[in-house]
Amino acid sequence: MRQLIVRRLLQTVPMLFFVSVVCFAMIKLAPGDPVLSFVTPNMHADDIERIRHNLGLDKPAYVQYFLWLKEIVQGDFGYSLVNHQPVLGQILDRLPATAGLMGSAIALAVLLAIPLGLIAGANRNRWADKLINLVAYIGISVPLFWLAILLMYLFAIKLHLLPSMGMRTIGVESAWDVVKHGILPCMVLAFGFLASYVRYIRSSTIGQLKEEYVQIQYAFGSKKSTILFRHVLKHVLLPVITLLGMSMGDLVAGAIVTETVFSWPGIGSLGMTAVKGMDYPLIMGITLFSSLMLILGNLIADILYSFVDPRIKLKG
Amino acid sequence: MNRSKWINVRSELFASGMGVAALVILTVFTLGAIFAFLTGRDPNTMDAMVRLTPPGAAHWFGTDDYGRDYLTRALYGGRVSLLVGFASMIIATGIGVLIGVVSGYFGGWLDSLLMRMIDVITSIPSFLILLLLSVFLKPSVGNIILIIALLMWMNIARIIRAETLTLKEREYVLYAKASGQSARGIIWRHILPGLVPTIIVGATNNIASAIMMESSLSFLGFGVQPPNATWGSMLNSAQGYIAQAPYLALFPGLLILLTVLSFNVLGDILRVGFEPKLNRR
Amino acid sequence: MTQRLLTVDNLKVSFAAREGENQAVRGVSFHIDAGETLGIVGESGSGKSVTAKAIMSLIAPPGRITSGEITLGGTSLTGLSEKEWRRLRGNRIAMVFQDPMTSLNPVKTIGQQLTEVIRRHRGLKKDAAYAEAAELLRQVGIRDPEQRLKQYPHEFSGGMRQRVMIAMALSCKPELLLADEPTTALDATIQAQILDLFKDLKANTQTAVALITHDLGVVAQVCTRVIVMYGGLIMEEGTVEDIFYRPQHPYTIGLLRSLPKRGGGSRERLVPIEGTPPDLLNPPPGCPFMERCPHAHARCASLPPVTELAPGHRTMCWLAVEQQEKAAAGSEGGNAE
């Protein structure tokens, strides 16, 4: 068990290293000379050279990399080219909005997907299954931004039930206000995940119900519902942990799109602003940050899984 | 890959209404995109007189904010979306199969290296890379195809590698090895034919995700640039007129949904058809 | 003294398939007395497992029981509601399955799985159920049961798992235990241990056992009576002595020949029965064994009636009919040959 965790942690180290190299290479390869953003029209060539030297940009690339890595490790992600604010600070400022949105979307998706997937799997090819399956198919095929626009049109413009933009009404300081702003983005983000989780849970429910131990439960007088909730549920839920870890990447993509459509002030919309403004340090910071989260998410999912699944303890 | 499998796939395809519907939709959309000129209108000709006309007899899908015929734009947009989908699928599948087969067949350090590489690439959120690359490179259709392909090959490489690992333990492959055939010959004659079902299923799913990526990218304004339309960029401009002309948002989204849905449905049907025992729904 | 526990009358089960109806069981009648051990023998596809599942009403679509009357302890089981069936299953009738590796839920502890059954049918509290479960494990020869209850199935060997399954089946002191190939998936030495367990069961409890197997050797060790099934029908029925020393049906004789003899040395050649079992999608109208029978003749194209050779020794074969006809004719005519 402990061995397993240690091994898994050790695997993470080279991955982090490579990700950081890729991020660094990205800034280096980016078109445009970072020095130019410090240059004013009346500077001399040797002034420019001095700036280059001060920034450490005249050293060989690998030296620059280690200097950069040292700063990253110390929490210094550099400064935005646009508003000259520290990159990490900006990311951390936006983190609560994104974490709240992602967390509630994931929670909503999982909570709905479990019963829906079980119902569909247990009633295979009946109308309930066909309906759930169709909705799930649409869920994995619908462009989230389009869904966002449609919901916005329906709930904000036609029905005036919910606000369409931002996270707060200006001048209003209440949690309820934030929740109201969050409902639509959360629904949109949750829908895509809901669909893929439902499909997954459905097919593994179908698989489990064919297992011999389930047939045997019938022979011992179990009800179908008892079998589903006491026996199948746990089997089906275990892989969902891994699935959650794996969906972090899609979550980032979903967050970028959803936050942009709803002007939700999270890391996703920050990333969009950074990309539009060619703000390389900020782009790099966000890429590095979200990769870290991704690797961490997978790591936590794996470790959690090995805690919950009794079969892994033996091998660990 | 034997005949009975193809027959099985065919019967599976026509047995379900969904499969037939998906085929019909894709055929209609493809023909529409190819013969887009038959509407007799130019997708980029503006006409201020008919700005934001709702759908009607003259303009089936209405007109947009510049008075351009929306149906024509949607058909030409479909051209780009489908082209991007197909082309990046072909490139991605090519790379994926090559790397997957090499990795699975030869194994050893080469395999570890390639697989570690894939692990690293997939541990960076791909959509971010997509955004970044489309900023670095100039957004032309060719570049977008390349970028999307470069982000999609990892999945298929993993699947192909796994499949190659099982195929290379088959008796006939072991026999071919023992009888001294070259690695290249074995891969061509014995491994690749066995991979065909996996490749077809993977490719079908890849088109769906490529089309989805392209439209997301265009929607965010980093895809094909105006005045040329794709379904994604049409949605982007439709956003500004959502209150006055909701149909502008309705049509392109519906087209994306139906296309992606059809490819996903086909992918599932093919998977079941090729491996009826393993994947029965 | 013997009391009828279970009677099965003209049971028919078929499975809907794309090509038609697969008639797995085609009219089977037998009984089990209280406390006895009945062997049901046949090769795979003979309908023996389907019969057992039908007794517990566990035939799932596309299969269905097309006809037949089953009574348990004098009351008919036909037309019971699903709820009444659930009260019966695992309680009055229990079942042990073939493969102990797949018959326990891998993510729940043995204790959880055992107590679930005990609590459902006997209404015990959690602690009492655990104590009972430990006692059951002890009875089936598992040492250190309190510890073992906390473990997961993968921590048990195949033989140990089968002991757990038997403990689970016995947990509610069932009147009838259906054991479907309980030793087939196990190593030979483990097989012997499990069979010993069944012998203990016969000696120490009132539970009647139907032991389903393809192995006549197993039957010889534990059973009192035997049913031989083939092609969805009962070919021969009798006591162990009837079947082993006075077999009538050519299929039974064939089965006995293919059995390695104890003490006969391993040199002796086993004689397998040639040919394949009948296609139950389009079952032959006559004797199902006709195709493979060395004595087949014209009459075998129609289904033979059941002939009683001696009390309790029945067979379904034209040879037996002809013998009786001859005997009857002989006693009338006064000459033997």
Side-chain angles (χ1 to χ4, degrees):
Chain A
M1 186 66 176
R2 184 168 295 157
Q3 267 177 332
L4 184 92
I5 295 174
V6 170
R7 201 168 56 215
R8 202 54 192 74
L9 276 173
L10 288 178
Q11 274 175 3
T12 308
V13 173
M15 225 140 98
L16 286 175
F17 173 72
F18 279 114
V19 168
S20 69
V21 170
V22 170
C23 282
F24 179 73
M26 227 150 50
I27 331 180
K28 283 283 109 185
L29 295 175
D33 189 340
V35 177
L36 291 182
S37 67
F38 295 91
V39 173
T40 49
N42 48 8
M43 275 185 177
H44 285 289
D46 40 326
D47 290 330
I48 296 174
E49 272 319 297
R50 208 179 52 244
I51 294 173
R52 191 177 298 280
H53 179 77
N54 287 345
L55 291 173
L57 293 173
D58 53 348
K59 298 193 176 74
Y62 69 92
V63 178
Q64 283 187 44
Y65 168 74
F66 282 110
L67 289 174
W68 172 83
L69 190 64
K70 200 176 129 202
E71 286 170 354
I72 294 287
V73 172
Q74 288 165 350
D76 181 0
F77 280 49
Y79 293 86
S80 156
L81 294 181
V82 176
N83 60 12
H84 304 287
Q85 298 294 310
V87 166
L88 190 62
Q90 288 193 58
I91 294 176
L92 293 180
D93 277 348
R94 299 287 192 112
L95 185 61
T98 293
L101 180 60
M102 284 185 176
S104 49
I106 286 265
L108 185 66
V110 171
L111 285 181
L112 285 177
I114 293 168
L116 287 178
L118 280 177
I119 290 171
N123 299 291
R124 189 150 82 115
N125 289 337
R126 304 228 195 101
W127 67 266
D129 176 37
K130 285 186 173 155
L131 183 71
I132 292 172
N133 209 14
L134 183 70
V135 173
Y137 250 125
I138 293 174
I140 58 163
S141 311
V142 72
L144 287 186
F145 49 89
W146 184 57
L147 186 68
I149 295 174
L150 290 187
L151 289 181
M152 199 194 268
Y153 176 73
L154 184 65
F155 287 101
I157 296 172
K158 277 277 139 176
L159 301 175
H160 298 290
L161 281 178
L162 295 165
S164 63
M165 293 279 174
M167 197 165 90
R168 289 195 171 86
T169 313
I170 296 165
V172 180
E173 267 306 322
S174 78
W176 174 236
D177 187 49
V178 175
V179 170
K180 253 167 66 180
H181 279 85
I183 291 177
L184 286 182
C186 174
M187 268 166 62
V188 168
L189 200 50
F191 189 55
F193 291 98
L194 174 66
S196 59
Y197 294 165
V198 165
R199 279 164 62 86
Y200 182 83
I201 292 175
R202 171 183 181 269
S203 71
S204 63
T205 302
I206 291 172
Q208 285 301 321
L209 284 178
K210 278 189 205 143
E211 289 286 317
E212 178 127 317
Y213 77 85
V214 168
Q215 297 304 312
I216 283 164
Q217 282 302 315
Y218 284 116
F220 282 104
S222 292
K223 263 190 265 186
K224 189 163 186 178
S225 58
T226 314
I227 295 176
L228 270 184
F229 286 102
R230 288 244 181 113
H231 290 271
V232 173
L233 183 65
K234 196 173 175 189
H235 267 285
V236 168
L237 283 193
L238 288 176
V240 169
I241 298 174
T242 317
L243 213 61
L244 280 179
M246 287 192 326
S247 54
M248 297 290 277
D250 295 331
L251 205 55
V252 172
I256 293 176
V257 173
T258 320
E259 288 184 4
T260 307
V261 177
F262 289 105
S263 316
W264 186 260
I267 297 176
S269 52
L270 181 70
M272 271 303 293
T273 325
V275 173
K276 281 202 167 127
M278 305 265 183
D279 193 344
Y280 296 113
L282 191 53
I283 297 173
M284 183 279 307
I286 291 173
T287 309
L288 195 59
F289 187 81
S290 42
S291 308
L292 280 180
M293 291 298 121
L294 205 67
I295 294 174
L296 216 64
N298 274 322
L299 183 70
I300 293 173
D302 277 9
I303 291 175
L304 208 61
Y305 190 94
S306 66
F307 267 109
V308 190
D309 191 337
R311 285 165 295 186
I312 290 181
K313 278 182 193 148
L314 197 73
K315 295 171 218 149
Chain B
M1 198 59 196
N2 49 29
R3 265 178 59 99
S4 72
K5 267 191 180 168
W6 286 110
I7 293 169
N8 205 350
V9 166
R10 213 170 55 197
S11 72
E12 195 71 40
L13 201 57
F14 290 108
S16 73
M18 295 266 277
V20 177
L23 276 184
V24 169
I25 288 173
L26 291 178
T27 315
V28 169
F29 285 8
T30 313
L31 290 178
I34 294 172
F35 297 106
F37 55 87
L38 287 182
T39 62
R41 292 190 165 101
D42 184 84
N44 297 329
T45 302
M46 305 177 192
D47 182 355
M49 299 300 290
V50 291
R51 277 188 81 225
L52 298 176
T53 314
H59 301 278
W60 292 358
F61 280 19
T63 60
D64 70 0
D65 46 316
Y66 291 108
R68 296 174 289 202
D69 181 56
Y70 215 50
L71 173 64
T72 312
R73 280 183 77 71
L75 291 179
Y76 279 96
R79 230 181 226 192
V80 180
S81 296
L82 289 173
L83 175 73
V84 171
F86 273 103
S88 32
M89 172 274 286
I90 288 182
I91 300 175
T93 309
I95 303 176
V97 170
L98 181 72
I99 299 223
V101 168
V102 165
S103 196
Y105 188 81
F106 294 104
W109 62 268
L110 189 64
D111 179 35
S112 325
L113 183 75
L114 289 172
M115 287 303 123
R116 284 301 114 198
M117 193 171 86
I118 290 180
D119 282 350
V120 172
I121 301 176
T122 48
S123 65
I124 303 176
S126 60
F127 197 71
L128 265 176
I129 311 182
L130 192 68
L131 278 181
L132 285 175
L133 289 178
S134 62
V135 171
F136 288 176
L137 307 169
K138 280 285 138 267
S140 66
V141 174
N143 277 344
I144 287 169
I145 291 173
L146 268 182
I147 295 169
I148 292 180
L150 285 178
L151 287 174
M152 278 195 331
W153 62 269
M154 290 88 76
N155 264 338
I156 206 158
R158 275 185 177 145
I159 302 169
I160 292 290
R161 172 181 173 269
E163 191 66 27
T164 306
L165 282 180
T166 58
L167 280 180
K168 82 170 179 183
E169 297 304 323
R170 294 274 165 85
E171 301 267 317
Y172 58 87
V173 178
L174 293 176
Y175 175 78
K177 257 188 204 170
S179 64
Q181 285 190 38
S182 70
R184 200 209 267 198
I186 295 174
I187 289 175
W188 266 113
R189 269 191 295 276
H190 299 297
I191 305 273
L192 277 180
L195 289 174
V196 168
T198 319
I199 295 174
I200 292 177
V201 173
T204 313
N205 290 332
N206 265 358
I207 298 185
S209 40
I211 291 176
M212 195 70 118
M213 277 197 209
E214 184 276 326
S215 57
S216 307
L217 210 56
S218 300
F219 173 75
L220 292 175
F222 296 105
V224 177
Q225 295 301 302
N228 291 324
T230 80
W231 293 336
S233 65
M234 287 166 83
L235 275 174
N236 184 10
S237 24
Q239 225 186 334
Y241 300 90
I242 182 79
Q244 301 110 291
Y247 61 89
L248 288 183
L250 188 66
F251 291 119
L254 210 54
L255 292 175
I256 301 175
L257 170 64
L258 287 176
T259 311
V260 175
L261 184 64
S262 301
F263 278 117
N264 279 332
V265 167
L266 279 189
D268 276 12
I269 290 178
L270 289 174
R271 195 171 63 233
V272 175
F274 283 130
E275 297 290 346
K277 287 207 183 66
L278 273 175
N279 302 310
R280 187 136 287 286
R281 282 167 299 172
Chain C
M1 278 309 286
T2 54
Q3 229 184 345
R4 283 280 190 275
L5 175 65
L6 179 93
T7 59
V8 174
D9 188 41
N10 197 28
L11 177 72
K12 290 182 184 171
V13 184
S14 58
F15 291 82
R18 205 182 280 188
E19 300 84 6
E21 225 175 303
N22 193 331
Q23 301 167 32
V25 176
R26 303 194 287 146
V28 158
S29 307
F30 64 94
H31 68 271
I32 301 177
D33 288 333
E36 79 165 334
T37 304
L38 174 75
I40 302 181
V41 188
E43 52 199 293
S44 54
S46 61
K48 54 193 195 311
S49 293
V50 176
T51 304
K53 284 200 171 132
I55 292 173
M56 291 188 87
S57 185
L58 282 175
I59 303 289
R64 85 200 159 85
I65 298 174
T66 49
S67 89
E69 172 74 20
I70 300 171
T71 59
L72 180 73
T75 48
S76 169
L77 299 185
T78 327
L80 285 192
S81 70
E82 190 53 31
K83 203 174 159 194
E84 290 166 312
W85 267 116
R86 281 202 300 270
R87 223 176 296 143
L88 216 73
R89 288 181 199 138
N91 192 15
R92 291 182 65 194
I93 311 178
M95 195 158 178
V96 175
F97 292 79
Q98 177 169 358
D99 189 355
M101 304 312 277
T102 55
S103 46
L104 288 159
N105 186 343
V107 298
K108 300 191 92 181
T109 63
I110 298 298
Q112 283 168 338
Q113 301 189 49
L114 262 173
T115 53
E116 197 188 311
V117 178
I118 299 175
R119 291 175 69 186
R120 174 164 54 239
H121 289 307
R122 291 169 59 181
L124 292 181
K125 287 270 174 305
K126 197 173 171 188
D127 292 344
Y130 264 94
E132 179 65 23
E135 182 51 37
L136 282 165
L137 287 192
R138 207 185 317 277
Q139 277 171 20
V140 295
I142 292 179
R143 256 171 292 172
D144 219 358
E146 285 84 3
Q147 275 319 103
R148 297 294 252 169
L149 281 177
K150 290 181 203 139
Q151 293 180 332
Y152 288 92
H154 67 252
E155 295 168 81
F156 285 67
S157 67
M160 283 296 157
R161 285 191 212 190
Q162 197 60 301
R163 284 173 196 260
V164 172
M165 286 309 294
I166 293 170
M168 197 146 124
L170 295 178
S171 61
C172 300
K173 306 201 167 41
E175 292 154 62
L176 176 63
L177 178 67
L178 303 169
D180 187 359
E181 305 263 11
T183 60
T184 309
L186 303 172
D187 292 344
T189 46
I190 312 292
Q191 244 181 51
Q193 290 170 11
I194 298 292
L195 285 182
D196 284 342
L197 205 57
F198 275 98
K199 282 182 219 164
D200 289 348
L201 195 66
K202 193 164 97 178
N204 301 330
T205 67
Q206 274 307 300
T207 300
V209 179
L211 188 67
I212 298 160
T213 175
H214 64 272
D215 186 351
L216 270 175
V218 168
V219 169
Q221 288 183 59
V222 268
C223 297
T224 40
R225 275 191 324 121
V226 185
I227 287 174
V228 179
M229 283 189 73
Y230 185 80
L233 292 168
I234 293 178
M235 295 287 98
E236 190 166 3
E237 177 188 352
T239 62
V240 171
E241 290 77 19
D242 288 337
I243 297 296
F244 278 80
Y245 301 119
R246 296 178 291 277
Q248 185 281 325
H249 202 284
Y251 178 61
T252 314
I253 296 169
L255 273 184
L256 286 167
R257 277 218 199 102
S258 63
L259 195 71
K261 288 211 174 55
R262 201 168 284 199
S266 53
R267 294 275 170 86
E268 194 172 344
R269 257 187 70 212
L270 302 181
V271 188
I273 309 175
E274 306 254 324
T276 51
D279 172 19
L280 293 178
L281 269 172
N282 305 297
C287 172
F289 191 57
M290 185 180 153
E291 291 288 313
R292 299 164 78 181
C293 182
H295 309 286
H297 54 289
R299 244 177 142 175
C300 300
S302 58
L303 198 65
V306 175
T307 315
E308 181 134 21
L309 301 170
H313 187 189
R314 279 179 284 269
T315 179
M316 185 192 265
C317 180
W318 284 114
L319 293 178
V321 175
E322 281 151 22
Q323 228 163 33
Q324 284 198 340
E325 282 168 355
K326 260 185 221 160
S331 63
E332 268 169 33
N335 53 343
E337 194 69 356

